[in-house]
Amino acid sequence: MHAPPTIPAPGRPAASIDTPALVIDLDAMERNIARMAAFASAHGVAWRPHAKLHKCAQLAQRLVAAGAVGCCVQKTGEAEALAAAGMRDIYLSNQLVAPAKLARLVALAVRLQAEGGRLALAADSAHGIEQLAAAIAALPPARRPREALPVFVEINIGQDRCGAAPGAEALALAQQIGRHPALSFAGLHAYHGGAQHIRAYTERAQAMQEAYQQVVLTRTLLQAAGIAVPCITGAGTGTLVSEAASGLYTELQPGSFLFMDADYARNEWPVGAPAFEHALFVHTQVISRHAERAVCDAGHKSHAIDSGLPTVWNFGAPPALAFGNGGDEHGILTLAAGASAHPGTGGGLPALGETLWLVPGHCDPTVNLHDVMIGVRGGLREGVVEEVLRVDARGALG
């Protein structure tokens, strides 16, 4: 067992937070939530934020309180952790085929239904559907779900990851679901993760227009076969403007809008897109200082690097420092191109002992590296610690 992080008591200055630590600017996060809620309302669509981002039941519940219909997860363990902490409307937007995982899922669905909740699942294969039906049938009748388990058919609209082929293959799966009394066809899951970080917005929107043709094709075939399509769900932070304007989607699943990482900041955004702000930071301290570099204590064990290295936050101004790869425990800080001095020291690089704020390259896997997120009210410069948020589903990979 490791010692818990040293967390300042509520009311202590943000600068007193031990390093490295994951910190939420609560004011920025709440502005992001308000903008997402207003956007969804203005476009007449439901929103179901992806909890694989924050893995935190408290945040999932706040999003529901702001108008979200529930949350998405990607893993059975995430669903279990969030349900145990109070979430009641969960969509596992991924494929399950292992009997052990399906048994856990069905048991969770029974518990949620008994509490007035709902658990839905995605499927993209006949095998997966049959395995799910078998998991339900294996239970004694008294322990089975009281209501049919909602199942979405996921279709591949361009990412070439999971998803049945649009059209006839998806139709066959929907018909197969309909043949099982214990299951109900919930709609189509149509998410294009590969489009989220296409930098130019016109190219991103064009990729989605091509994807929507596959959604229309599939919906048309289903309706012609007498199968209603009650919901079309999908969308991420990078494409939600397109999905909302498409007239096809009834539910949006963005997650990263809540925190906004350095990778999303590189995207071009259209006029009218919600102005989401950076709200998640890694607090770090300079622990070594040399003429040409400073070294901080936030290495790869404190932030994910799959979408690039973090940026050094300069409170909205152009970066004064560049973050370089220092390995597991260290980051190398140098002056950014065109910068003559770091503003916090009055010249040169940051001083030994000085603390800084990093914007993670990819927020989702960064959160999964931490036990808690420390919420700060009043900004990072002058703010104070308000609360500690537990990462309930940290490490819930199965």
Side-chain angles (χ1 to χ4, degrees):
M1 295 292 292
H2 62 80
T6 303
I7 300 171
R12 293 286 296 167
S16 68
I17 297 171
D18 198 10
T19 61
L22 197 59
V23 177
I24 299 174
D25 180 333
L26 295 172
D27 301 299
M29 182 188 75
E30 289 169 4
R31 288 191 292 269
N32 289 343
I33 293 172
R35 288 165 184 156
M36 184 65 229
F39 178 84
S41 177
H43 289 82
V45 292
W47 53 299
R48 180 181 293 276
H50 227 303
K52 74 179 181 69
L53 165 82
H54 53 75
K55 291 177 170 276
C56 172
Q58 285 179 265
L59 291 182
Q61 290 160 348
R62 287 185 197 181
L63 289 161
V64 170
V69 296
C71 71
C72 292
V73 297
Q74 285 288 85
K75 299 291 186 174
T76 307
E78 289 177 341
E80 290 169 331
L82 297 187
M87 279 303 292
R88 291 294 171 264
D89 193 329
I90 300 173
Y91 170 39
L92 202 160
S93 55
N94 203 357
Q95 319 303 317
L96 295 183
V97 296
K101 287 187 175 68
L102 288 166
R104 289 163 53 196
L105 180 90
V106 172
L108 180 59
V110 170
R111 293 201 299 273
L112 285 176
Q113 287 184 7
E115 297 166 356
R118 171 182 181 267
L119 178 65
L121 174 69
D124 71 353
S125 70
H127 177 74
I129 293 168
E130 292 305 314
Q131 290 289 89
L132 174 59
I136 297 173
L139 293 173
R143 293 177 52 200
R144 294 174 188 169
R146 296 180 301 182
E147 302 172 6
L149 199 65
V151 181
F152 286 85
V153 171
E154 180 172 1
I155 57 174
N156 176 15
I157 59 170
Q159 188 172 7
D160 296 334
R161 192 170 61 185
C162 293
E169 184 177 328
L171 169 60
L173 294 179
Q175 291 170 327
Q176 182 182 1
I177 292 167
R179 290 193 290 269
H180 288 284
L183 308 178
S184 65
F185 174 64
L188 296 174
H189 175 94
Y191 172 68
H192 194 336
Q196 302 306 313
H197 299 281
I198 297 175
R199 300 305 179 201
Y201 179 72
T202 53
E203 295 177 17
R204 199 156 70 247
Q206 179 57 41
M208 293 312 302
Q209 289 302 318
E210 295 170 4
Y212 301 149
Q213 295 175 20
Q214 305 305 314
V215 179
V216 171
L217 166 66
T218 306
R219 183 182 66 175
T220 300
L221 278 178
L222 288 166
Q223 292 173 335
I227 300 174
V229 184
C231 179
I232 297 178
T233 185
T237 297
T239 64
L240 64 87
V241 173
S242 294
E243 274 95 344
S246 70
L248 292 170
Y249 286 72
T250 58
E251 184 178 90
L252 308 179
Q253 300 176 8
S256 295
F257 78 90
L258 187 68
F259 291 153
M260 292 302 286
D261 51 36
D263 191 54
Y264 263 119
R266 300 182 186 104
N267 275 9
E268 177 188 9
W269 302 96
V271 174
F276 300 128
E277 308 171 45
H278 292 307
L280 186 75
F281 302 87
V282 175
H283 194 216
T284 186
Q285 184 179 46
V286 175
I287 59 172
S288 182
R289 179 70 158 76
H290 308 274
E292 77 290 356
R293 70 186 184 279
V295 182
C296 68
D297 62 357
H300 304 334
K301 289 181 181 177
S302 62
H303 55 81
I305 61 171
D306 60 299
S307 294
L309 294 171
T311 57
V312 183
W313 182 235
N314 200 17
F315 300 91
L321 295 170
F323 185 97
N325 184 347
D328 291 351
E329 315 295 353
H330 305 91
I332 309 299
L333 304 173
T334 56
L335 290 177
S340 59
H342 169 58
T345 62
L349 293 165
L352 192 66
E354 184 174 350
T355 63
L356 304 163
W357 304 92
L358 307 178
V359 179
H362 189 181
C363 43
D364 305 43
T366 294
V367 169
N368 195 53
L369 296 170
H370 295 260
D371 292 322
V372 298
M373 298 175 283
I374 302 171
V376 168
R377 180 73 66 189
L380 300 179
R381 280 191 172 118
E382 306 297 333
V384 298
V385 174
E386 180 171 287
E387 62 181 325
V388 176
L389 298 160
R390 180 182 172 185
V391 183
D392 301 283
R394 182 189 179 189
L397 306 179

